Amino acid sequence: MTEELSPPAVFATLDDEYARDILVATNTDRLSAKELSEECDMSRPTVSRRVNTLVEQGLLEEYTHVDPAGRHYREYEARLERIEVLLQDEGFDIQIDVRPNPADRITSIFENMRGD
């Protein structure tokens, strides 16, 4: 599945230091909002606002878990892999690459197995 991300919206989001810090922190590990707050040294409301924007734009994946006591909590993982900007005669060619979401990964695996 190919997602159409809005380059101006993505660039505006990446202009925010907090959003960049969240993406870097979640690039290799899934982290909760509490962990992001501690890791990135920002308040929980700041984390919440940035996480909501990043999830809406498809740059961050949200996972819901239930702990042994039955409490729900969310963890976040970066989906952004690469942004490439090429200057051409006609203007800019912008390519934004994100990891596929888990459901699309599973679908892709089964389609490849079936030969679709």
Side-chain angles (χ1 to χ4, degrees):
M1 175 179 170
T2 302
E3 297 179 31
E4 287 297 319
L5 300 173
S6 165
V10 170
F11 291 147
T13 298
L14 294 178
D15 189 39
D16 180 81
E17 179 180 356
Y18 294 126
R20 291 192 310 268
D21 288 347
I22 288 170
L23 288 171
V24 169
T26 59
N27 188 43
T28 56
D29 294 317
R30 289 183 187 175
L31 299 174
S32 68
K34 179 181 178 190
E35 292 168 325
L36 282 168
S37 177
E38 293 167 1
E39 172 105 5
C40 299
D41 193 29
M42 63 183 80
S43 71
R44 293 283 294 274
T46 299
V47 168
S48 181
R49 284 191 299 274
R50 291 343 186 266
V51 160
N52 288 340
T53 299
L54 291 164
V55 169
E56 286 173 10
Q57 290 182 344
L59 301 175
L60 197 66
E61 189 71 32
E62 179 180 77
Y63 299 89
T64 302
H65 300 282
V66 180
D67 69 15
R71 292 183 296 263
H72 291 74
Y73 69 98
R74 294 185 177 105
E75 289 183 325
Y76 303 94
E77 180 179 46
R79 293 186 61 212
L80 180 65
E81 289 187 330
R82 181 175 73 124
I83 297 176
E84 181 177 58
V85 180
L86 299 173
L87 177 59
Q88 299 182 338
D89 292 340
E90 309 82 38
F92 291 96
D93 179 27
I94 300 169
Q95 178 73 35
I96 302 172
D97 294 333
V98 294
R99 296 177 195 125
N101 68 36
D104 289 340
R105 282 187 238 162
I106 292 169
T107 300
S108 177
I109 289 168
F110 282 115
E111 287 174 352
N112 287 337
M113 288 172 55
R114 289 190 335 211
D116 291 350

